[in-house]
Amino acid sequence: MAVSMDDDVPLILTLDDSGSSASAPLDDLDREELPNENGGSYEVINDASSPAAGDCCAQQSSARHNWEMNYQEAAIYLQEGENNDKFFTHPKNAKALAAYLFAHNHLFYLMELSTALLLLLLSLCEAPAVPMLRLGIFVHATLELFALIVVVFELSMKMRWLGFQTFIRHKRTMVKTCVLFVQFIEAIVVLVRQTSHVRITRALRCIFLVDCRYCGAVRRNLRQIFQSLPPFIDILLLLLFFMVIFAILGFYLFSPNQSDPYFNTLENSLVNLFVLLTTSNFPDVMMPSYARNPWSCVFFIVYLSIELYFIMNLLLAVVFDTFNDIEKRKFKSLLLHKRTAIQHAYRLLITKQRPSGISFKHFEGLLRFYKPRMCARERYLTFKALNQSNTPLVSLKDFYNFYEVVGLKWKAKRNREHWFDDLPRTAFLIFKGINILVKSRVFQYTMYTVVAVNGIWILVETFMLQGGNFFSRNVPWSYIVFLTIYGVELLLKTTGLGPVEYLSSGWNLFDFSVTLFAFLGLMALAFNMEPFYFIVVLRPLQLLRLFKLKKRYRNVLDTMFELFPRMASLGLTLLIFYYCFAIVGMEFFAGVVYPNCCNTSTVADSYRWINHTVGNKTVVEEGYYYLNNFDNILNSFVTLFELTVVNDWYIIMEGVTSQTTHWSRLYFMIFYIVTMVVMTIIVAFILDAFVFRMNYTRKNQDSEEDNGIVLEKEISKEEVVGIIELYKRSSATTETTQLQKIVLQMDKYGQMSTLFLGRRSRTKSDLSMKMYEEEIQ
Amino acid sequence: MAVSMDDDVPLILTLDDSGSSASAPLDDLDREELPNENGGSYEVINDASSPAAGDCCAQQSSARHNWEMNYQEAAIYLQEGENNDKFFTHPKNAKALAAYLFAHNHLFYLMELSTALLLLLLSLCEAPAVPMLRLGIFVHATLELFALIVVVFELSMKMRWLGFQTFIRHKRTMVKTCVLFVQFIEAIVVLVRQTSHVRITRALRCIFLVDCRYCGAVRRNLRQIFQSLPPFIDILLLLLFFMVIFAILGFYLFSPNQSDPYFNTLENSLVNLFVLLTTSNFPDVMMPSYARNPWSCVFFIVYLSIELYFIMNLLLAVVFDTFNDIEKRKFKSLLLHKRTAIQHAYRLLITKQRPSGISFKHFEGLLRFYKPRMCARERYLTFKALNQSNTPLVSLKDFYNFYEVVGLKWKAKRNREHWFDDLPRTAFLIFKGINILVKSRVFQYTMYTVVAVNGIWILVETFMLQGGNFFSRNVPWSYIVFLTIYGVELLLKTTGLGPVEYLSSGWNLFDFSVTLFAFLGLMALAFNMEPFYFIVVLRPLQLLRLFKLKKRYRNVLDTMFELFPRMASLGLTLLIFYYCFAIVGMEFFAGVVYPNCCNTSTVADSYRWINHTVGNKTVVEEGYYYLNNFDNILNSFVTLFELTVVNDWYIIMEGVTSQTTHWSRLYFMIFYIVTMVVMTIIVAFILDAFVFRMNYTRKNQDSEEDNGIVLEKEISKEEVVGIIELYKRSSATTETTQLQKIVLQMDKYGQMSTLFLGRRSRTKSDLSMKMYEEEIQ
């Protein structure tokens, strides 16, 4: 009997120890005529289950072994589909599989990430180091060598898994190897010479971070940026072309004016028009000529209209359009890739005997590898959710929904509405009352009023204060009053809704943490703890709750949260660019800017630091700009942020230029263009995401609130008993006990079946699927 | 016989003198069951053609009179459809019609425009006048009164045409009337008192311009701006909300720092964060706190990330989305409106006898009113182009294409290819040779090379010059050489292609004018004519020709030209806002800013003007910002442009504030927000237009070049003779002779028919039609 369940033979056997059959299933990926090949030939190759083999038991165990292999490979295929890994990196034999499994788990990923971070953070301690973190050359070079050796180990594991041929073909890995080689040599040189040389190559360390498994989103962003580049560069050339024309015009028109320092040479003319493009020197650059002839403003108005208001927007339009197009095409190719992965996995899971679908037994085997943490109940529910037909097999068509269904979190649909339903009568009534109160509109609007009053209170209170040290005083009573109200509200809500339901809403979580912070702030005030004063000033954040009131704000804020991961990855991408530029900037400009450094330049005022005595007081006249330097990596980051914001960036540029050569301007201009690219992409991304979402809501106006994806499945008692039987046969005790609990539960409530709810949040991919429905097919 | 052609009676008779039947056809606009009403009752109402009327002749002439009325009304309907005038302003009786016709011709429009412009331009000469244009109070007040009286006259004509009821209901006209009233009183007051009082209401003069017929595009823009406002304001509130929160935070965090002037009071904190939103004070506002504690930069980075990089982009996204949506809906409603207009016109043109379509005779009558300048040939071709069926009648379905077809310019398809085909053999060969040369790729690329070399030459030449007065020298020989080459090219092209074909291309026109300018510049150089020197510096514009080389640039530049009218109207809209703010600015801030005015404020340096002697030289130290004032309307416009560009606008704001009250800041902040709205709309518009066009090209990649709309129609000799007969009968001699020319032409070449080509440029509406095809139906 057991044999009749187990002797189904997989249609395809792969990953056997000999490795000879491995390439076969990989080579004919597109074979669609599977069911016709029932008398398949792959199992012959597998020496253990060769037709000549003897007793039933050996055959059975080898079959089981083969199935395990197939499950594992199918799970790998599905993972590759999910992560958009190309199939040519698929492990080809058992040795590769071992390496693959070694290199594909969170421990390994974390190691990858931490070595990359270590390498990046080293620049905090190297040569122009942050004063507090300075390390000896020996120490940081040794650390670097250690990290590089770890990277070598990681790469060797990757090579083992990919094989030499594929390894060579994989571009990103090859670049990484080259960078590693260079870094290695330089680290050794530093260690030997015991002194740091000019190491611009440190800027390349970013590649170790970019290559991390966890930084997939960053890689995607970088790819998108590079794909948007060609049209961007075209328009940029147009921009520069007009700039040159206007520079020549400006030179001819304004250089006769002796008092105009902006156009006296062609180079100045060019540089100033470049800066004018960023508007950073605007009225100033016009003033000398405007003072002489009022009509000269026409030149500047025309220039700005063409360059800033037309071509710059054109740039955005072109990038937005490319972005939009790429996004759509990417979605399509991703969908196709996932489908191919599912096809691969499917072919590994069907049997010779039943080629029309996957049985639960094999599906369960797959999930054991694909999602080891999933419990037996969830596995069965996933299977049931996939299975649209009434047969016990999941067909390929149903299996295509795998990715959508596997992410669902399953929960038995509760019969009891509230957490306090089981409590005694009196308690129940009290809690029920609180629940009704908390859910009532009156309560909500009272709270909004309190928040609004609090807001006005804070505003007025702050307005009344006129500078000085506010915190040394006693705790103001209004603070205590409002905090008490919030505390009571929190308590009521938690008891009325139950802690779990309360904290499942993002807004409640926000309330909770702000109230907690306010409480901590109160503590800080009461006990005079200096370093925590900043918490006190976070109080006004409570006011954000008012934005729950209007639908558009809820929409905007929801979208904001949905976008957050993507925004974070874009920010990280920007930071990576920052890192490269910071390293280059530190190598070239570290220490060139200091107080009173630039007295000969046009921006001398901004770098001034004079300490003179007027009467009996010392007056310090500070330009402060010497603070915007490249003296260590943190300062560089702040300086680069200032350059990103663009305003008055030319002061920083001119300061550095006056201390070095005028070629330094190239660094600043290139940085401007690079951030312009990234910023334009960010704008295009936000535009795209919002317009997409708004179109989506417009299209689905009738469908009520957006609760994510919800699926309902009913399981009857017989079904559970059947699965228990199945698990008992394969002697999986944990699963059996888990499932028996469900049966007990059903017996307790006297039900013949239980309803389960599968739930997950809606992803962009779901939305895209719905939006592009017609186009995809 | 003549009667059998003429006695067809219109189905509907309107605009008769009694006016009693007028409202009937207007009231049942949606009557679709027309053909069933053949025994219509409208002709009974017309007293001239009442069934009781006597002799045949009188009946015939009255029928003709009725037809003329119908033609006119149909033409008016079609015009209303084209201009998107609502039908409730349709003239209801003969008196109204007379007024309507009086108020709807270019003379009247021009009068409207010129009075509006006169009123606006008066502010050049009023109180804080441009020095050169100052007029006595008596003079400008009289001029104003005169212009206002003209406006009264215009309005009374409008009232006559609309009738009192509709006049009252028409919002824009009512606002105009009120403004007129106020202006009138003020002008009289000024005239009586002989002194100008504070007249902020002058800002309202814009409404006279906005109401002009020629400013329809501006009205559309304003409507679009107002429609985009609600979501805009929502997001703006979010922005301001965060600003307030951060202002409170900033005040608490940084006011203990005595050396930080930016956050010492809550008001300062708010103002500086508002300015920071525009990045205009960026690194400076951070510097004092940054100098004290490097971590304070986090506050500013978070603030800018949220406000500038997120919410501001959100603003753009929301406006873009709204804009997009409105654009689509507007297109649909316009289309519907046009269709309704066509239905109205159709019902006026069909006859009782043949209710299934419009005959050429009536179509011709319509066109005589709709496009009086169209010649007989074009009328017939338009009719033929509309008529898709083989019957001699145009059905309603065909008539729906009226607007698309009526704009076509018809030309006989030439048999001869070149203009020189008729010349003698030798000349022909020479010109043919030139033609082939000019059209060859070699010639084109040679010219590109010459232009590129010229560009490099100019760049190098300019680079070699180091300031000074270049123009006093002789004409450089390179100038003459390149100009000769361009001249020869121009000559070759004109002769090779023929002047007409040469100038029909926009690029050639551009070449031509630039070369002409360069020639004028040469003249100016040779004869030392000072005021024309600026022409010389336009030479580099020739380089723009290089952009013909790449497809994307051609696309971009084409789109630029297509967008130009719309951009111009957006620019005009911005100017109208400028005008309002300039008037207000002048009333409040005229004369408050002058050299050394603001020595007590934080921006004293920028307003400094010191004339001190160092050694034996006088050194002038100028801050120049006193030039950015509101002393007259031209200065105000420049100042407002500087405020629009935003950089360093706070210097202007602080300068004015230090001389007045701190409430003046409101003016500047409101101006910033208003320009932000308009600018965001402009960006959204450019984005929308480009993305739309790119999508369009992507959708129609296969269809070759975009030559506009082209239609071909063949006319046989018999047809022409037939039409001549028709015209002869109605004794229209000009039309008859025109058409006879065509017959003669055909006889000369021995053709039995001529092919005509109808051509017009593609408009946005055509593109939209193609894009929204599916959605519209």
Side-chain angles (χ1 to χ4, degrees), chain B residues 552-567:
Chain B
R552 195 190 302 277
Y553 293 126
R554 280 204 303 275
N555 251 336
V556 163
L557 291 170
D558 284 351
T559 317
M560 212 166 112
F561 279 109
E562 267 173 40
L563 292 187
F564 192 76
R566 190 68 198 279
M567 289 293 281

mmCIF file with all atom_site columns, all heavy atoms in Angstrom, chain B residues 552-567:
data_model
loop_
_atom_site.group_PDB
_atom_site.id
_atom_site.type_symbol
_atom_site.label_atom_id
_atom_site.label_alt_id
_atom_site.label_comp_id
_atom_site.label_asym_id
_atom_site.label_entity_id
_atom_site.label_seq_id
_atom_site.pdbx_PDB_ins_code
_atom_site.Cartn_x
_atom_site.Cartn_y
_atom_site.Cartn_z
_atom_site.occupancy
_atom_site.B_iso_or_equiv
_atom_site.pdbx_formal_charge
_atom_site.auth_seq_id
_atom_site.auth_comp_id
_atom_site.auth_asym_id
_atom_site.auth_atom_id
_atom_site.pdbx_PDB_model_num
ATOM 1   N N   . ARG B 1 552 ? 16.224 62.424 -32.331 1.00 0.00 ? 552 ARG B N   1
ATOM 2   C CA  . ARG B 1 552 ? 15.614 62.859 -31.079 1.00 0.00 ? 552 ARG B CA  1
ATOM 3   C C   . ARG B 1 552 ? 15.531 64.386 -31.019 1.00 0.00 ? 552 ARG B C   1
ATOM 4   O O   . ARG B 1 552 ? 14.550 64.956 -30.561 1.00 0.00 ? 552 ARG B O   1
ATOM 5   C CB  . ARG B 1 552 ? 16.388 62.349 -29.873 1.00 0.00 ? 552 ARG B CB  1
ATOM 6   C CG  . ARG B 1 552 ? 15.590 62.479 -28.580 1.00 0.00 ? 552 ARG B CG  1
ATOM 7   C CD  . ARG B 1 552 ? 16.411 62.209 -27.368 1.00 0.00 ? 552 ARG B CD  1
ATOM 8   N NE  . ARG B 1 552 ? 17.021 60.892 -27.365 1.00 0.00 ? 552 ARG B NE  1
ATOM 9   C CZ  . ARG B 1 552 ? 16.414 59.795 -26.977 1.00 0.00 ? 552 ARG B CZ  1
ATOM 10  N NH1 . ARG B 1 552 ? 15.174 59.853 -26.586 1.00 0.00 ? 552 ARG B NH1 1
ATOM 11  N NH2 . ARG B 1 552 ? 17.037 58.653 -26.985 1.00 0.00 ? 552 ARG B NH2 1
ATOM 12  N N   . TYR B 1 553 ? 16.595 65.047 -31.510 1.00 0.00 ? 553 TYR B N   1
ATOM 13  C CA  . TYR B 1 553 ? 16.573 66.507 -31.481 1.00 0.00 ? 553 TYR B CA  1
ATOM 14  C C   . TYR B 1 553 ? 15.504 67.050 -32.402 1.00 0.00 ? 553 TYR B C   1
ATOM 15  O O   . TYR B 1 553 ? 14.818 68.007 -32.064 1.00 0.00 ? 553 TYR B O   1
ATOM 16  C CB  . TYR B 1 553 ? 17.933 67.076 -31.893 1.00 0.00 ? 553 TYR B CB  1
ATOM 17  C CG  . TYR B 1 553 ? 19.007 66.773 -30.902 1.00 0.00 ? 553 TYR B CG  1
ATOM 18  C CD1 . TYR B 1 553 ? 20.178 66.165 -31.269 1.00 0.00 ? 553 TYR B CD1 1
ATOM 19  C CD2 . TYR B 1 553 ? 18.830 67.102 -29.569 1.00 0.00 ? 553 TYR B CD2 1
ATOM 20  C CE1 . TYR B 1 553 ? 21.164 65.884 -30.356 1.00 0.00 ? 553 TYR B CE1 1
ATOM 21  C CE2 . TYR B 1 553 ? 19.805 66.821 -28.641 1.00 0.00 ? 553 TYR B CE2 1
ATOM 22  C CZ  . TYR B 1 553 ? 20.977 66.207 -29.042 1.00 0.00 ? 553 TYR B CZ  1
ATOM 23  O OH  . TYR B 1 553 ? 21.938 65.928 -28.119 1.00 0.00 ? 553 TYR B OH  1
ATOM 24  N N   . ARG B 1 554 ? 15.401 66.427 -33.579 1.00 0.00 ? 554 ARG B N   1
ATOM 25  C CA  . ARG B 1 554 ? 14.354 66.876 -34.494 1.00 0.00 ? 554 ARG B CA  1
ATOM 26  C C   . ARG B 1 554 ? 13.003 66.765 -33.818 1.00 0.00 ? 554 ARG B C   1
ATOM 27  O O   . ARG B 1 554 ? 12.183 67.673 -33.862 1.00 0.00 ? 554 ARG B O   1
ATOM 28  C CB  . ARG B 1 554 ? 14.383 66.039 -35.777 1.00 0.00 ? 554 ARG B CB  1
ATOM 29  C CG  . ARG B 1 554 ? 15.459 66.467 -36.751 1.00 0.00 ? 554 ARG B CG  1
ATOM 30  C CD  . ARG B 1 554 ? 15.100 66.065 -38.161 1.00 0.00 ? 554 ARG B CD  1
ATOM 31  N NE  . ARG B 1 554 ? 14.871 64.636 -38.279 1.00 0.00 ? 554 ARG B NE  1
ATOM 32  C CZ  . ARG B 1 554 ? 15.821 63.735 -38.482 1.00 0.00 ? 554 ARG B CZ  1
ATOM 33  N NH1 . ARG B 1 554 ? 17.068 64.120 -38.600 1.00 0.00 ? 554 ARG B NH1 1
ATOM 34  N NH2 . ARG B 1 554 ? 15.536 62.450 -38.574 1.00 0.00 ? 554 ARG B NH2 1
ATOM 35  N N   . ASN B 1 555 ? 12.813 65.618 -33.176 1.00 0.00 ? 555 ASN B N   1
ATOM 36  C CA  . ASN B 1 555 ? 11.566 65.395 -32.433 1.00 0.00 ? 555 ASN B CA  1
ATOM 37  C C   . ASN B 1 555 ? 11.333 66.485 -31.400 1.00 0.00 ? 555 ASN B C   1
ATOM 38  O O   . ASN B 1 555 ? 10.264 67.080 -31.336 1.00 0.00 ? 555 ASN B O   1
ATOM 39  C CB  . ASN B 1 555 ? 11.643 64.062 -31.689 1.00 0.00 ? 555 ASN B CB  1
ATOM 40  C CG  . ASN B 1 555 ? 10.732 63.049 -32.326 1.00 0.00 ? 555 ASN B CG  1
ATOM 41  O OD1 . ASN B 1 555 ? 9.773  63.427 -32.991 1.00 0.00 ? 555 ASN B OD1 1
ATOM 42  N ND2 . ASN B 1 555 ? 11.017 61.791 -32.145 1.00 0.00 ? 555 ASN B ND2 1
ATOM 43  N N   . VAL B 1 556 ? 12.385 66.711 -30.601 1.00 0.00 ? 556 VAL B N   1
ATOM 44  C CA  . VAL B 1 556 ? 12.268 67.683 -29.516 1.00 0.00 ? 556 VAL B CA  1
ATOM 45  C C   . VAL B 1 556 ? 11.961 69.056 -30.068 1.00 0.00 ? 556 VAL B C   1
ATOM 46  O O   . VAL B 1 556 ? 11.070 69.761 -29.591 1.00 0.00 ? 556 VAL B O   1
ATOM 47  C CB  . VAL B 1 556 ? 13.572 67.708 -28.689 1.00 0.00 ? 556 VAL B CB  1
ATOM 48  C CG1 . VAL B 1 556 ? 13.638 68.954 -27.841 1.00 0.00 ? 556 VAL B CG1 1
ATOM 49  C CG2 . VAL B 1 556 ? 13.668 66.473 -27.827 1.00 0.00 ? 556 VAL B CG2 1
ATOM 50  N N   . LEU B 1 557 ? 12.688 69.437 -31.120 1.00 0.00 ? 557 LEU B N   1
ATOM 51  C CA  . LEU B 1 557 ? 12.505 70.787 -31.655 1.00 0.00 ? 557 LEU B CA  1
ATOM 52  C C   . LEU B 1 557 ? 11.146 70.921 -32.329 1.00 0.00 ? 557 LEU B C   1
ATOM 53  O O   . LEU B 1 557 ? 10.476 71.947 -32.202 1.00 0.00 ? 557 LEU B O   1
ATOM 54  C CB  . LEU B 1 557 ? 13.649 71.124 -32.611 1.00 0.00 ? 557 LEU B CB  1
ATOM 55  C CG  . LEU B 1 557 ? 14.995 71.292 -31.892 1.00 0.00 ? 557 LEU B CG  1
ATOM 56  C CD1 . LEU B 1 557 ? 16.126 71.370 -32.886 1.00 0.00 ? 557 LEU B CD1 1
ATOM 57  C CD2 . LEU B 1 557 ? 14.991 72.543 -31.018 1.00 0.00 ? 557 LEU B CD2 1
ATOM 58  N N   . ASP B 1 558 ? 10.728 69.861 -33.020 1.00 0.00 ? 558 ASP B N   1
ATOM 59  C CA  . ASP B 1 558 ? 9.391  69.890 -33.622 1.00 0.00 ? 558 ASP B CA  1
ATOM 60  C C   . ASP B 1 558 ? 8.330  70.079 -32.545 1.00 0.00 ? 558 ASP B C   1
ATOM 61  O O   . ASP B 1 558 ? 7.436  70.913 -32.670 1.00 0.00 ? 558 ASP B O   1
ATOM 62  C CB  . ASP B 1 558 ? 9.115  68.582 -34.379 1.00 0.00 ? 558 ASP B CB  1
ATOM 63  C CG  . ASP B 1 558 ? 9.863  68.548 -35.698 1.00 0.00 ? 558 ASP B CG  1
ATOM 64  O OD1 . ASP B 1 558 ? 10.434 69.595 -36.069 1.00 0.00 ? 558 ASP B OD1 1
ATOM 65  O OD2 . ASP B 1 558 ? 9.875  67.494 -36.346 1.00 0.00 ? 558 ASP B OD2 1
ATOM 66  N N   . THR B 1 559 ? 8.466  69.268 -31.482 1.00 0.00 ? 559 THR B N   1
ATOM 67  C CA  . THR B 1 559 ? 7.494  69.384 -30.398 1.00 0.00 ? 559 THR B CA  1
ATOM 68  C C   . THR B 1 559 ? 7.521  70.785 -29.816 1.00 0.00 ? 559 THR B C   1
ATOM 69  O O   . THR B 1 559 ? 6.484  71.358 -29.508 1.00 0.00 ? 559 THR B O   1
ATOM 70  C CB  . THR B 1 559 ? 7.823  68.369 -29.294 1.00 0.00 ? 559 THR B CB  1
ATOM 71  O OG1 . THR B 1 559 ? 8.148  67.141 -29.912 1.00 0.00 ? 559 THR B OG1 1
ATOM 72  C CG2 . THR B 1 559 ? 6.649  68.175 -28.384 1.00 0.00 ? 559 THR B CG2 1
ATOM 73  N N   . MET B 1 560 ? 8.753  71.333 -29.717 1.00 0.00 ? 560 MET B N   1
ATOM 74  C CA  . MET B 1 560 ? 8.904  72.682 -29.190 1.00 0.00 ? 560 MET B CA  1
ATOM 75  C C   . MET B 1 560 ? 8.079  73.648 -30.025 1.00 0.00 ? 560 MET B C   1
ATOM 76  O O   . MET B 1 560 ? 7.362  74.488 -29.488 1.00 0.00 ? 560 MET B O   1
ATOM 77  C CB  . MET B 1 560 ? 10.378 73.046 -29.265 1.00 0.00 ? 560 MET B CB  1
ATOM 78  C CG  . MET B 1 560 ? 10.843 73.962 -28.188 1.00 0.00 ? 560 MET B CG  1
ATOM 79  S SD  . MET B 1 560 ? 12.643 73.961 -28.180 1.00 0.00 ? 560 MET B SD  1
ATOM 80  C CE  . MET B 1 560 ? 12.957 75.613 -28.720 1.00 0.00 ? 560 MET B CE  1
ATOM 81  N N   . PHE B 1 561 ? 8.167  73.527 -31.334 1.00 0.00 ? 561 PHE B N   1
ATOM 82  C CA  . PHE B 1 561 ? 7.435  74.452 -32.187 1.00 0.00 ? 561 PHE B CA  1
ATOM 83  C C   . PHE B 1 561 ? 5.931  74.205 -32.088 1.00 0.00 ? 561 PHE B C   1
ATOM 84  O O   . PHE B 1 561 ? 5.135  75.141 -32.093 1.00 0.00 ? 561 PHE B O   1
ATOM 85  C CB  . PHE B 1 561 ? 7.922  74.356 -33.636 1.00 0.00 ? 561 PHE B CB  1
ATOM 86  C CG  . PHE B 1 561 ? 9.177  75.127 -33.853 1.00 0.00 ? 561 PHE B CG  1
ATOM 87  C CD1 . PHE B 1 561 ? 10.377 74.494 -34.072 1.00 0.00 ? 561 PHE B CD1 1
ATOM 88  C CD2 . PHE B 1 561 ? 9.149  76.516 -33.783 1.00 0.00 ? 561 PHE B CD2 1
ATOM 89  C CE1 . PHE B 1 561 ? 11.542 75.219 -34.230 1.00 0.00 ? 561 PHE B CE1 1
ATOM 90  C CE2 . PHE B 1 561 ? 10.315 77.253 -33.954 1.00 0.00 ? 561 PHE B CE2 1
ATOM 91  C CZ  . PHE B 1 561 ? 11.510 76.599 -34.175 1.00 0.00 ? 561 PHE B CZ  1
ATOM 92  N N   . GLU B 1 562 ? 5.566  72.928 -31.986 1.00 0.00 ? 562 GLU B N   1
ATOM 93  C CA  . GLU B 1 562 ? 4.143  72.627 -31.823 1.00 0.00 ? 562 GLU B CA  1
ATOM 94  C C   . GLU B 1 562 ? 3.604  73.230 -30.530 1.00 0.00 ? 562 GLU B C   1
ATOM 95  O O   . GLU B 1 562 ? 2.483  73.708 -30.459 1.00 0.00 ? 562 GLU B O   1
ATOM 96  C CB  . GLU B 1 562 ? 3.920  71.110 -31.783 1.00 0.00 ? 562 GLU B CB  1
ATOM 97  C CG  . GLU B 1 562 ? 3.597  70.529 -33.141 1.00 0.00 ? 562 GLU B CG  1
ATOM 98  C CD  . GLU B 1 562 ? 3.545  69.024 -33.073 1.00 0.00 ? 562 GLU B CD  1
ATOM 99  O OE1 . GLU B 1 562 ? 3.026  68.475 -32.081 1.00 0.00 ? 562 GLU B OE1 1
ATOM 100 O OE2 . GLU B 1 562 ? 4.043  68.372 -34.013 1.00 0.00 ? 562 GLU B OE2 1
ATOM 101 N N   . LEU B 1 563 ? 4.460  73.150 -29.491 1.00 0.00 ? 563 LEU B N   1
ATOM 102 C CA  . LEU B 1 563 ? 4.016  73.635 -28.178 1.00 0.00 ? 563 LEU B CA  1
ATOM 103 C C   . LEU B 1 563 ? 4.020  75.145 -28.099 1.00 0.00 ? 563 LEU B C   1
ATOM 104 O O   . LEU B 1 563 ? 3.442  75.711 -27.183 1.00 0.00 ? 563 LEU B O   1
ATOM 105 C CB  . LEU B 1 563 ? 4.949  73.106 -27.090 1.00 0.00 ? 563 LEU B CB  1
ATOM 106 C CG  . LEU B 1 563 ? 4.945  71.640 -26.809 1.00 0.00 ? 563 LEU B CG  1
ATOM 107 C CD1 . LEU B 1 563 ? 5.809  71.366 -25.597 1.00 0.00 ? 563 LEU B CD1 1
ATOM 108 C CD2 . LEU B 1 563 ? 3.538  71.178 -26.546 1.00 0.00 ? 563 LEU B CD2 1
ATOM 109 N N   . PHE B 1 564 ? 4.710  75.779 -29.041 1.00 0.00 ? 564 PHE B N   1
ATOM 110 C CA  . PHE B 1 564 ? 4.974  77.189 -28.875 1.00 0.00 ? 564 PHE B CA  1
ATOM 111 C C   . PHE B 1 564 ? 3.729  78.024 -28.573 1.00 0.00 ? 564 PHE B C   1
ATOM 112 O O   . PHE B 1 564 ? 3.733  78.797 -27.612 1.00 0.00 ? 564 PHE B O   1
ATOM 113 C CB  . PHE B 1 564 ? 5.737  77.732 -30.077 1.00 0.00 ? 564 PHE B CB  1
ATOM 114 C CG  . PHE B 1 564 ? 6.271  79.094 -29.833 1.00 0.00 ? 564 PHE B CG  1
ATOM 115 C CD1 . PHE B 1 564 ? 7.382  79.262 -29.029 1.00 0.00 ? 564 PHE B CD1 1
ATOM 116 C CD2 . PHE B 1 564 ? 5.638  80.209 -30.337 1.00 0.00 ? 564 PHE B CD2 1
ATOM 117 C CE1 . PHE B 1 564 ? 7.864  80.519 -28.756 1.00 0.00 ? 564 PHE B CE1 1
ATOM 118 C CE2 . PHE B 1 564 ? 6.108  81.474 -30.067 1.00 0.00 ? 564 PHE B CE2 1
ATOM 119 C CZ  . PHE B 1 564 ? 7.227  81.640 -29.271 1.00 0.00 ? 564 PHE B CZ  1
ATOM 120 N N   . PRO B 1 565 ? 2.642  77.871 -29.338 1.00 0.00 ? 565 PRO B N   1
ATOM 121 C CA  . PRO B 1 565 ? 1.460  78.702 -29.057 1.00 0.00 ? 565 PRO B CA  1
ATOM 122 C C   . PRO B 1 565 ? 0.971  78.518 -27.634 1.00 0.00 ? 565 PRO B C   1
ATOM 123 O O   . PRO B 1 565 ? 0.681  79.475 -26.916 1.00 0.00 ? 565 PRO B O   1
ATOM 124 C CB  . PRO B 1 565 ? 0.420  78.173 -30.050 1.00 0.00 ? 565 PRO B CB  1
ATOM 125 C CG  . PRO B 1 565 ? 1.164  77.412 -31.060 1.00 0.00 ? 565 PRO B CG  1
ATOM 126 C CD  . PRO B 1 565 ? 2.411  76.929 -30.446 1.00 0.00 ? 565 PRO B CD  1
ATOM 127 N N   . ARG B 1 566 ? 0.938  77.269 -27.205 1.00 0.00 ? 566 ARG B N   1
ATOM 128 C CA  . ARG B 1 566 ? 0.454  76.977 -25.864 1.00 0.00 ? 566 ARG B CA  1
ATOM 129 C C   . ARG B 1 566 ? 1.397  77.562 -24.809 1.00 0.00 ? 566 ARG B C   1
ATOM 130 O O   . ARG B 1 566 ? 0.956  78.140 -23.813 1.00 0.00 ? 566 ARG B O   1
ATOM 131 C CB  . ARG B 1 566 ? 0.347  75.453 -25.707 1.00 0.00 ? 566 ARG B CB  1
ATOM 132 C CG  . ARG B 1 566 ? -0.346 75.000 -24.487 1.00 0.00 ? 566 ARG B CG  1
ATOM 133 C CD  . ARG B 1 566 ? -1.833 75.343 -24.534 1.00 0.00 ? 566 ARG B CD  1
ATOM 134 N NE  . ARG B 1 566 ? -2.376 75.286 -23.185 1.00 0.00 ? 566 ARG B NE  1
ATOM 135 C CZ  . ARG B 1 566 ? -2.731 74.165 -22.585 1.00 0.00 ? 566 ARG B CZ  1
ATOM 136 N NH1 . ARG B 1 566 ? -2.671 73.020 -23.200 1.00 0.00 ? 566 ARG B NH1 1
ATOM 137 N NH2 . ARG B 1 566 ? -3.184 74.193 -21.354 1.00 0.00 ? 566 ARG B NH2 1
ATOM 138 N N   . MET B 1 567 ? 2.713  77.423 -25.065 1.00 0.00 ? 567 MET B N   1
ATOM 139 C CA  . MET B 1 567 ? 3.707  77.975 -24.147 1.00 0.00 ? 567 MET B CA  1
ATOM 140 C C   . MET B 1 567 ? 3.552  79.479 -24.059 1.00 0.00 ? 567 MET B C   1
ATOM 141 O O   . MET B 1 567 ? 3.638  80.071 -22.987 1.00 0.00 ? 567 MET B O   1
ATOM 142 C CB  . MET B 1 567 ? 5.120  77.664 -24.646 1.00 0.00 ? 567 MET B CB  1
ATOM 143 C CG  . MET B 1 567 ? 5.528  76.236 -24.546 1.00 0.00 ? 567 MET B CG  1
ATOM 144 S SD  . MET B 1 567 ? 5.690  75.683 -22.862 1.00 0.00 ? 567 MET B SD  1
ATOM 145 C CE  . MET B 1 567 ? 7.284  76.369 -22.474 1.00 0.00 ? 567 MET B CE  1
#
